[in-house]
Short mmCIF file of all heavy atoms in Angstrom, two decimals:
data_model
loop_
_atom_site.label_atom_id
_atom_site.label_comp_id
_atom_site.label_asym_id
_atom_site.label_seq_id
_atom_site.Cartn_x
_atom_site.Cartn_y
_atom_site.Cartn_z
N HIS A 232 -16.21 -2.18 12.17
CA HIS A 232 -17.64 -1.91 12.02
C HIS A 232 -17.97 -1.43 10.62
O HIS A 232 -17.12 -0.90 9.92
CB HIS A 232 -18.08 -0.81 13.00
CG HIS A 232 -18.44 -1.33 14.35
ND1 HIS A 232 -19.12 -0.58 15.28
CD2 HIS A 232 -18.22 -2.54 14.93
CE1 HIS A 232 -19.31 -1.29 16.37
NE2 HIS A 232 -18.77 -2.48 16.20
N MET A 234 -21.29 0.82 8.62
CA MET A 234 -22.56 1.55 8.76
C MET A 234 -23.51 1.00 7.71
O MET A 234 -23.14 0.83 6.56
CB MET A 234 -22.37 3.05 8.52
CG MET A 234 -21.27 3.68 9.38
SD MET A 234 -21.72 3.84 11.12
CE MET A 234 -22.76 5.29 11.06
N MET A 243 -24.78 0.82 12.96
CA MET A 243 -23.48 0.19 12.71
C MET A 243 -23.43 -1.16 13.39
O MET A 243 -24.09 -1.42 14.38
CB MET A 243 -22.34 1.08 13.17
CG MET A 243 -22.33 1.45 14.62
SD MET A 243 -20.97 2.61 14.84
CE MET A 243 -21.16 2.99 16.58
N ARG A 244 -22.64 -2.03 12.80
CA ARG A 244 -22.50 -3.36 13.36
C ARG A 244 -21.12 -3.92 12.99
O ARG A 244 -20.47 -3.45 12.05
CB ARG A 244 -23.61 -4.27 12.84
CG ARG A 244 -23.55 -4.44 11.35
CD ARG A 244 -24.57 -5.45 10.87
NE ARG A 244 -24.35 -5.74 9.47
CZ ARG A 244 -25.27 -6.22 8.66
NH1 ARG A 244 -26.49 -6.46 9.10
NH2 ARG A 244 -24.99 -6.48 7.40
N HIS A 266 -15.30 1.47 9.73
CA HIS A 266 -14.44 2.13 10.70
C HIS A 266 -14.02 1.12 11.77
O HIS A 266 -14.59 0.04 11.86
CB HIS A 266 -15.16 3.32 11.35
CG HIS A 266 -16.45 2.95 12.01
ND1 HIS A 266 -17.63 2.86 11.31
CD2 HIS A 266 -16.76 2.62 13.29
CE1 HIS A 266 -18.60 2.50 12.14
NE2 HIS A 266 -18.11 2.35 13.34
N LEU A 267 -13.03 1.50 12.54
CA LEU A 267 -12.67 0.69 13.70
C LEU A 267 -13.37 1.32 14.89
O LEU A 267 -13.26 2.51 15.13
CB LEU A 267 -11.16 0.67 13.92
CG LEU A 267 -10.32 0.21 12.73
CD1 LEU A 267 -8.85 0.16 13.12
CD2 LEU A 267 -10.79 -1.15 12.23
N MET A 268 -14.13 0.51 15.61
CA MET A 268 -14.87 0.99 16.77
C MET A 268 -14.05 0.68 18.01
O MET A 268 -13.72 -0.49 18.26
CB MET A 268 -16.21 0.25 16.83
CG MET A 268 -17.20 0.90 17.74
SD MET A 268 -17.87 2.34 16.91
CE MET A 268 -18.29 3.31 18.34
CU1 CU B 414 -19.02 1.58 15.11
#
Side-chain angles (χ1 to χ4, degrees):
H232 274 194
M234 307 288 281
M243 59 185 178
R244 62 174 189 203
H266 57 276
L267 304 183
M268 196 76 207

